[in-house]
Amino acid sequence: MPATIASITEEILELKHRRHAVILAHHYQSAEIQELADLIGDSLELARKAREFSGDVIAFCGVWFMAETAKVLNPTRTVVVPDREAGCSLVDSCSADRVRAWRAAHPNDVIVSYINTSVEVKAESDILCTSRNAVAIVNSIPADRPILFLPDINLGNYVKRETGRENMRIWQGACFVHATFPARRLVAARSQYPTALVAAHPECPPEILRMADFIGSTSAIIDWCVSNPAREFIVMTESGVSHSLRRLAPEKQFHFVANEQCNCSECPYMRRNTLEKLRAALENLEPRVELDPELMRRAERPIRRMLEVK
Ligand code: 13P
Ligand code: SF4
């Protein structure tokens, strides 16, 4: 490990101890951040873990909406994120005003919101879901109730296909990273690695999902690749998952496909977080998630409903 990384790591561990902090990291963080984390997980695991935490500070190495969820579940704790600009294209696609307008026009609809939404949109929602539990959440809603699923079009269409649900309308948001994986590059990767199996995140477009041997959340993809007897995989998600994949299955080969946006498979929002910014966040307790108590109370209900289902 280069000296600078080693010394920043040491300072972070010392600050973590002094602040009585826990470090939570999403799979899309850099390897250095994942190495320091008390827990690495997908958005559902991180939401669950955030609920159980008992220290003073949560240093949330992920994107802002995930940290907001942690704050709603831990209103008395300080929640910091290394970079305030760690956002998400799905959050940007869906404003609370538009959701309120939908509610007014369709009062009988159940609003199922993906966790990749702002806390204001969560507060307008009936129940949340993540990529891991979206099918179970939609199946938990009485069949005669119309559903608005927001904001991810690809996840929504995947859930609609899996549940066979007819009365489900879907928002038109998309993930900047997954929605731009081109099918022709996956076709090329399959001919380059003919024995490889394909694992894909449900935010990928339908033509990618049709080629997948497995579809699931980031943690579900990791578990499936590790436990599957195959030796080679093409992984259609953010390449941060390679850290856990290589640690848990060093004997296997994992290939990633570049998207059209950056010619890579990294989320530019997630990758705004760095070790230096994590150190500064623990030192200054900024950027800090601060939310209105009434907004938190309203957002908590759909989050807890989700956690009760699965
Ligand atoms: P997971 O629910 O798989 O963690 O995904 C979150 C996300 O932002 C995917 O792009
Ligand atoms: Fe949002 Fe996509 Fe980045 Fe996930 S990978 S945080 S959905 S932009």
Side-chain angles (χ1 to χ4, degrees), residues 67 113 128 249 264:
S113 294
L128 288 202
C264 70

Side-chain angles (χ1 to χ4, degrees), residues 225 231-235 245-246 249 252-256:
C225 290
R231 312 279 300 173
E232 203 171 4
F233 300 85
I234 300 168
V235 184
L245 285 170
R246 295 199 172 110
K252 296 187 180 184
Q253 276 191 290
F254 302 101
H255 308 288
F256 290 82

Side-chain angles (χ1 to χ4, degrees), residues 3-19:
T4 48
I5 295 184
S7 61
I8 295 174
T9 298
E10 220 167 278
E11 285 175 64
I12 290 172
L13 291 175
E14 191 276 316
L15 280 163
K16 187 182 109 152
H17 181 70
R18 179 147 53 92
R19 293 289 191 196

